[in-house]
Amino acid sequence: MAYAAFRSIGAYVPSSILTNEDLSKMVDTSDEWITKRTGIKERHIAAKDEFTSDMGAKAAQIAIERSGIDKTQIDMLVCATISPDYFCMPSTATIIATKLGLKNITAFDISAACTGFVYVLSIAKAFIESGMKKNILIIGAEKLSAITDYTDRGTCILFGDGAGAAVISATNNKDEAIIDIHTGADGEYADLLMTPNGGSGSAHDSLTQEASSCFMQMKGNETFKVAVKTLTKDVIDILEHNNIQSSQIKHFVPHQANLRIIKAVGDALKLQDEQVVLTVEKYGNTSGASIPMAINDIYEKGELKAGELMLLDAFGGGLTWGSALVPFSPLKK
Ligand code: UT7
């Protein structure tokens, strides 16, 4: 049986920075409030003519180069995004494939909001273990600034843009394999976090609707409470199921939504500060891109070594959630 190995990571962060100070000139908020309630200091914003696919392609290019796998060997590309270049089609994945010069490969997007990267990881694992594919490029890419209402202080302080990508490959070596992935969803909570208009649910109205009606809306405080409960249960379950102690986790890489949520989950697992990967301060919440951007951060600091075990944990609109136990298994050691 083939196993799925997490071979490489890459990320792209747009250059323009939106600080808390900048936001305090746009809506009734302050650096003090945002820092205390979220841990966010700044977020990066893509240029007007820079699309989700541009950021995804740049992150993917780096991941391919670091993987040691020739790009002609890549046979599938899956992109997690809630801010695709185009609303229905073509998928952002097909555009990224073309930008990378990848021909005749399977390419599609998935929509699982902030859990998107864990979902695409589970898809890659399943395709590889079934023997259908051998080298899969997975991407989380978001231009959330395009669907953010910059008059709503409850959401605009949270979100940023960016992309992360990884190459997942078949291996016969079980020590290199992704250990386990859990994913779940509950549409009962759909209204906590959504873009309510613009889809087939409001097809006839949408012709007369303003673009602003497609912006994200969130019941922040309710989402916060469900997030802490769900994320904590999720990581405890996956550790117990695999008989792994939290002390064996080298890098806990949570979705970067809010420092207080991350701390609550870290405390429940009795994690030490050095186990917890934090990028929320500088990138804000980049939805499906947040986990691969955070993994890339520790990789580029030289803190992610071959064989080290990562625990990924995500939660987002849908609602969706997911966790994964992933050893870093580069070909180039
Ligand atoms: O990524 C997917 C999942 N997303 C999340 O997990 C996000 C979860 N939610 C959160 O991170 C937090 O709920 C927020 C950061 C969005 C809000 O923090 P909170 O501590 O839950 O605040 P709150 O919504 O309960 O609001 C408390 C007060 C309210 O004022 P009153 O009613 O007490 O007078 C708000 O109107 O803070 C006010 N407020 C603000 N004040 C200054 C809300 N947003 C702001 C703001 N600046 N930006």
Side-chain angles (χ1 to χ4, degrees):
M1 177 190 159
Y3 300 105
F6 192 105
R7 291 288 187 220
S8 67
I9 189 75
Y12 171 78
V13 187
S15 57
S16 173
I17 291 175
L18 183 67
T19 65
N20 291 349
E21 214 55 59
D22 297 332
L23 281 162
S24 69
K25 292 174 194 138
M26 297 157 67
V27 287
D28 182 13
T29 192
S30 64
D31 174 45
E32 190 196 354
W33 192 96
I34 302 171
T35 307
K36 198 165 149 210
R37 300 286 182 126
T38 71
I40 301 167
K41 291 302 261 183
E42 57 190 37
R43 62 294 287 143
H44 290 246
I45 303 294
K48 210 166 183 175
D49 60 353
E50 188 170 41
F51 301 146
T52 298
S53 64
D54 295 316
M55 295 187 282
K58 283 179 180 157
Q61 184 66 43
I62 296 167
I64 294 169
E65 282 161 18
R66 288 177 181 163
S67 73
I69 293 163
D70 192 89
K71 76 174 185 186
T72 58
Q73 302 303 304
I74 289 171
D75 44 17
M76 184 161 120
L77 187 165
V78 194
C79 180
T81 185
I82 53 165
S83 47
D85 286 13
Y86 302 102
F87 175 41
C88 293
M89 58 184 172
S91 71
T92 304
T94 59
I95 300 168
I96 293 174
T98 299
K99 285 181 176 165
L100 293 171
L102 301 175
K103 302 272 184 213
N104 300 319
I105 65 164
T106 305
F108 57 96
D109 289 353
I110 65 116
S111 170
C114 306
T115 317
F117 191 75
V118 178
Y119 268 65
V120 290
L121 189 63
S122 73
I123 292 166
K125 180 175 182 287
F127 267 86
I128 286 172
E129 288 177 353
S130 72
M132 284 180 70
K133 301 290 178 188
K134 288 202 162 33
N135 297 295
I136 303 179
L137 186 55
I138 59 170
I139 300 170
E142 300 287 10
K143 185 173 179 176
L144 296 180
S145 59
I147 56 167
T148 296
D149 179 355
Y150 285 98
T151 65
D152 173 16
R153 69 177 182 172
T155 53
C156 73
I157 56 149
L158 300 171
F159 299 108
D161 300 337
V167 174
I168 314 298
S169 289
T171 178
N172 293 321
N173 181 354
K174 199 172 179 194
D175 293 340
E176 291 186 329
I178 295 171
I179 297 169
D180 197 8
I181 305 180
H182 289 187
T183 50
D186 187 351
E188 289 287 327
Y189 293 101
D191 67 333
L192 288 192
L193 184 48
M194 68 189 315
T195 52
N197 296 310
S200 62
S202 59
H204 299 296
D205 293 348
S206 64
L207 293 173
T208 52
Q209 276 164 359
E210 292 177 17
S212 61
S213 65
C214 299
F215 291 156
M216 287 182 284
Q217 294 180 11
M218 180 171 67
K219 293 178 181 164
N221 196 262
E222 285 172 64
T223 309
F224 185 98
K225 288 174 191 152
V226 186
V228 172
K229 212 163 56 183
T230 309
L231 285 165
T232 307
K233 181 178 178 320
D234 204 27
V235 281
I236 289 173
D237 280 356
I238 199 168
L239 289 174
E240 278 180 8
H241 190 248
N242 292 282
N243 208 11
I244 290 175
Q245 307 299 314
S246 60
S247 55
Q248 292 171 258
I249 303 300
K250 181 72 182 171
H251 306 285
F252 174 54
V253 192
H255 168 49
Q256 308 283 319
N258 185 313
L259 184 60
R260 290 188 293 144
I261 297 176
I262 297 171
K263 281 210 182 310
V265 179
D267 288 350
L269 286 182
K270 298 192 170 54
L271 293 174
Q272 306 297 311
D273 285 353
E274 59 272 20
Q275 288 173 283
V276 182
V277 179
L278 290 175
T279 57
V280 66
E281 180 180 7
K282 54 184 180 175
Y283 302 146
N285 181 345
T286 57
S287 191
S290 94
I291 286 181
M293 287 169 75
I295 297 173
N296 185 68
D297 235 61
I298 50 171
Y299 177 82
E300 290 194 348
K301 283 190 211 150
E303 292 170 6
L304 177 61
K305 305 271 167 40
E308 290 180 348
L309 184 58
M310 298 184 279
L311 171 59
L312 317 184
D313 194 20
F315 173 88
L319 295 177
T320 56
W321 59 89
S323 54
L325 282 165
V326 184
F328 183 52
S329 305
L331 277 176
K332 301 184 206 167
K333 303 263 151 81

